[in-house]
Amino acid sequence: MLAFWFKIPLWQRVIAALILGVVTGLIWGPESETIKWIGDFFIKAIKMLVVPLIFFSLVAGVAALGDLKKLGSVGGRAMLLFVITGQIAAWLGLALGTFFQPGKGVDTDAIEMGDTPAPNDTTAVDMILSIVPDSPVQVMADVRVLPLIVFALLIGIGILMAKEDGKPLARIFDSGAIVMQKVTMIVMELTPFGVFALMAWVAGTLGIDALLSLAQLVGLNYLGCLLIIGIVYSGMIKFVAKLPVIDFFRGIVDAIAVSYSTASSNATLPVTLRCVERNLGVRNSVASFVVSLGATINMNGTAMYLGLATLFGAQIFGVDLSFGDYVLISITSTLGAIGAAGIPGAGLIMMALVFGSVGVPLETIAFVAGVDRIMDMMRTTTNVSGDAAVAVTVASMTGEIDRAEMISADDV
């Protein structure tokens, strides 16, 4: 029986658990709250991973550059495109959340509130000073996002500056990142049980209004991802790389299919590399560097979703956000997406970081966890498409692309 369970792909188990949870909640009613502890256990397991996962992943990602010189012609362009598109994605999520307000109208009286982070009321100067940690250990204990990320980036840069002397430490962080990804995969096996319990609780306790709000959130997640792919990435290919948009998407169709089904940028990495090199004519030196780096730090779908989900939670619980909070959300969403591992559920793990920065209750995670897998599949497709788009754009800017090979590959 156990062997049969694991033979079923995780995403199929999650979808089945989601449907069964909704049906159970609607039938059972408010009594379904008695199994909510299973979902709470799942959420606590996810929160446990936040600090070690983001720390090891970020340090390993920076160290993977291999040499500070690579931040020049290829690395510099790639990093710039990753940051710019990440900011566009985060602000798109904020715009969709502000305009459509998917969290409005949900009755939260039945929710037992836990500790709510204090709203952000710091000045710009305080924010700048806060990114430098007084104590890295205290930052990790408090799960403070910006100083944690800054410290991780500095460690990674220090490893690069140390060159040969830094390689042993780089291997340790690389191994640590791999180990944390494996631990995350173990925790993700709890997803069907957590999703079942949380969806039963939402449907039974909060009713149809909550389900409709979640459905709207899912729809906006897909809309945002499609806008990033259809406008941002297509614009990069057409106006910067000056290549046919249709041919580009035809060339990465295999990577799109694998990324949607696996919800993992890392699992899709070999397919993405093959598509970018064979179908799009990008030289191996550029493709291997940009796509591999992108699988680690280019998470535009996640950045968009984190901005959208933060507003969703703020609307549910009546948290008033200022423009300064929007700016902070855009920054933490982009940096949180950079720190997210390219594995299923990584966006869910980063939520605690973004929510805590602007005082959005962490109970929001329990709301969205039930439908996260459905959204994660589309977010991963967006992320992988972005890896390929940046690789092609950088290759075109540096003359490292065989345009004739791209055309001939598409004609076959």
Side-chain angles (χ1 to χ4, degrees):
M1 183 65 181
L2 191 62
F4 174 75
W5 170 261
F6 286 107
K7 282 184 179 179
I8 304 174
L10 180 60
W11 70 270
Q12 293 181 11
R13 284 180 271 154
V14 171
I15 298 300
L18 185 152
I19 297 172
L20 186 60
V22 170
V23 173
T24 301
L26 292 176
I27 294 175
W28 200 0
E31 293 299 317
S32 59
E33 189 170 4
T34 57
I35 63 171
K36 181 177 175 284
W37 69 269
I38 301 174
D40 292 337
F41 181 88
F42 169 61
I43 297 301
K44 284 180 70 68
I46 287 178
K47 292 178 184 177
M48 171 186 69
L49 302 175
V50 171
V51 169
L53 186 61
I54 191 174
F55 183 61
F56 279 107
S57 296
L58 267 182
V59 175
V62 175
L65 293 172
D67 190 342
L68 284 174
K69 292 181 180 178
K70 286 189 176 180
L71 290 175
S73 61
V74 174
R77 288 180 172 89
M79 290 295 293
L80 182 63
L81 288 173
F82 288 153
V83 172
I84 290 175
T85 55
Q87 274 290 288
I88 292 173
W91 280 103
L92 175 61
L94 290 170
L96 291 173
T98 301
F99 184 78
F100 291 100
Q101 298 191 336
K104 283 290 187 182
V106 178
D107 184 5
T108 60
D109 291 340
I111 300 177
E112 183 179 346
M113 294 292 292
D115 294 331
T116 301
N120 175 61
D121 57 359
T122 57
T123 65
V125 174
D126 292 334
M127 190 184 304
I128 294 173
L129 292 175
S130 68
I131 67 175
V132 181
D134 293 326
S135 168
V137 175
Q138 187 63 46
V139 164
M140 293 179 183
D142 295 340
V143 196
R144 290 164 52 203
V145 54
L146 282 178
L148 174 64
I149 290 175
V150 168
F151 181 66
L153 292 176
L154 288 175
I155 293 293
I157 293 173
I159 290 173
L160 291 179
M161 294 177 66
K163 298 181 180 179
E164 290 297 325
D165 292 335
K167 286 185 177 179
L169 186 58
R171 285 193 289 269
I172 291 175
F173 277 102
D174 190 46
S175 297
I178 294 173
V179 169
M180 286 310 305
Q181 289 178 19
K182 299 301 182 184
V183 173
T184 302
M185 294 307 297
I186 294 173
V187 173
M188 286 299 108
E189 287 297 330
L190 300 174
T191 304
F193 307 102
V195 165
F196 170 77
L198 291 171
M199 289 309 297
W201 165 67
V202 169
T205 306
L206 303 178
I208 297 296
D209 287 343
L211 296 178
L212 292 177
S213 292
L214 286 175
Q216 189 176 3
L217 179 67
V218 173
L220 290 175
N221 175 84
Y222 273 72
L223 174 61
C225 288
L226 290 174
L227 288 174
I228 293 171
I229 294 173
I231 297 177
V232 179
Y233 296 160
S234 296
M236 286 170 53
I237 297 299
K238 182 174 180 62
F239 299 109
V240 182
K242 295 182 172 28
L243 292 168
V245 175
I246 298 298
D247 290 345
F248 167 76
F249 286 109
R250 189 187 303 157
I252 64 168
V253 66
D254 289 345
I256 289 175
V258 173
S259 63
Y260 190 81
S261 61
T262 63
S264 171
S265 298
N266 289 346
T268 313
L269 181 58
V271 182
T272 309
L273 278 171
R274 188 184 69 217
C275 290
V276 169
E277 291 180 21
R278 296 184 182 179
N279 298 343
L280 303 179
V282 177
R283 301 279 194 274
N284 175 265
S285 59
V286 173
S288 59
F289 173 74
V290 176
V291 173
S292 298
L293 184 64
T296 304
I297 69 171
N298 183 40
M299 306 288 175
N300 293 332
T302 304
M304 183 281 300
Y305 173 62
L306 288 174
L308 174 62
T310 304
L311 287 194
F312 179 73
Q315 291 158 9
I316 287 178
F317 294 103
V319 179
D320 292 326
L321 300 175
S322 65
F323 180 75
D325 291 324
Y326 273 52
V327 173
L328 186 57
I329 292 170
S330 73
I331 295 172
T332 53
S333 295
T334 303
L335 295 177
I338 289 173
I343 53 178
L348 201 62
I349 296 170
M350 293 299 112
M351 282 185 182
L353 300 175
V354 183
F355 291 172
S357 68
V358 290
V360 171
L362 301 184
E363 281 76 10
T364 307
I365 300 175
F367 259 82
V368 303
V371 294
D372 183 73
R373 179 67 186 215
I374 300 175
M375 297 186 285
D376 198 10
M377 295 163 74
M378 188 63 200
R379 296 198 305 266
T380 303
T381 299
T382 305
N383 298 338
V384 169
S385 300
D387 296 342
V390 171
V392 170
T393 302
V394 170
S396 177
M397 295 168 69
T398 57
E400 295 291 329
I401 187 171
D402 188 338
R403 295 171 182 264
E405 184 177 336
M406 175 181 178
I407 295 173
S408 63
D410 289 322
D411 288 341
V412 175

